[in-house]
Amino acid sequence: MFSNFLRDFDLSKTGIDEGVIAGLISMVAIYAAIIAIICLSLYILRALGVYKMAKTAGISSPWVAFVPIANSYTFGKLAEKYRRKDGKKSEKFSVLLLIFDILTLIACVCLIVFTVISLATILSNAKIAYDNGTDMTLSQFSSLIPVIVFYVVTMLCAVVYTVLHYVAFWRIVAAYDYSNATLYTVLSVFFSFLDPIFLFIIRNKQPVFDPRERFAAFTSQI
């Protein structure tokens, strides 16, 4: 059992020295730094793209595109500009995206907090079991319950946000680059890092938010 594993386990017997551990830590640090730089670069590309498009579309305070979390509101406002083929306005993407972005963040923070608390509690219970020479009981793992709950909540919020995001994404791209809207959306769903790149690429194009204008122009050409 777990307490017996703790009793028998001895790190010194593995033959791993401090140099190897230090090397592993350095590799992890370098990897984390590279990931951080890539994520920051993609964030800036997305912010620049949304900012330029929001400015072109006449959306107030386009600079909000650079503000974490709040940029979901500006992104949603862009999507709301798009009119469906029947002429009706799009859904309130700005409010929905902002709400679910915030809910996902809150649930994620709670998940991290309860995970840390749960690990500390389980390790404490393991130490008590080790000192008493007993095995851990199922009830001593009950601290995992809120972790599981918040994990499920986080996933649900993230899924809803993702669906809303890509529906809004298609409408934005369709307004700025209709011919590539479906392709860009599909690629972004499978390769999320392409999302900000596509937004940056189309930022300088003139939008057509009412598809009836595009189809009318196409008909007149025929």
Side-chain angles (χ1 to χ4, degrees), residues 47-120:
L48 287 171
V50 174
Y51 168 79
K52 177 61 178 178
M53 288 188 288
K55 192 173 181 180
T56 302
I59 295 175
S60 60
S61 304
W63 55 266
V64 176
F66 291 93
V67 181
I69 305 298
N71 55 22
S72 294
Y73 184 83
T74 304
F75 186 82
K77 276 294 183 183
L78 271 173
E80 289 173 16
K81 284 277 188 178
Y82 186 84
R83 288 183 176 272
R84 299 182 303 194
K85 292 181 181 179
D86 57 8
K88 293 182 179 180
K89 292 183 178 180
S90 295
E91 294 75 7
K92 289 291 184 180
F93 286 105
S94 57
V95 176
L96 291 173
L97 283 171
L98 182 60
I99 289 175
F100 279 98
D101 204 358
I102 293 174
L103 287 177
T104 302
L105 176 62
I106 293 174
C108 188
V109 170
C110 290
L111 176 61
I112 294 173
V113 171
F114 279 103
T115 298
V116 173
I117 294 174
S118 177
L119 287 174

Side-chain angles (χ1 to χ4, degrees), residues 1 17-18 21 88 111 131 165 170 172 193 199 222:
M1 298 298 290
D17 58 26
E18 295 181 0
I21 295 176
K88 293 182 179 180
L111 176 61
D131 293 338
H165 172 83
W170 183 90
I172 292 172
F193 67 90
L199 291 174
I222 296 177

Side-chain angles (χ1 to χ4, degrees), residues 128-149:
I128 293 174
Y130 173 79
D131 293 338
N132 295 332
T134 59
D135 292 329
M136 292 183 67
T137 62
L138 188 61
S139 62
Q140 290 177 306
F141 291 93
S142 60
S143 60
L144 286 172
I145 294 176
V147 175
I148 296 172
V149 170

Side-chain angles (χ1 to χ4, degrees), residues 18 29 38 40 71 80 107 109-110 164 189 197 203:
E18 295 181 0
I38 293 174
L40 179 60
N71 55 22
E80 289 173 16
V109 170
C110 290
L164 288 171
V189 169
I197 295 175
R203 72 190 188 284

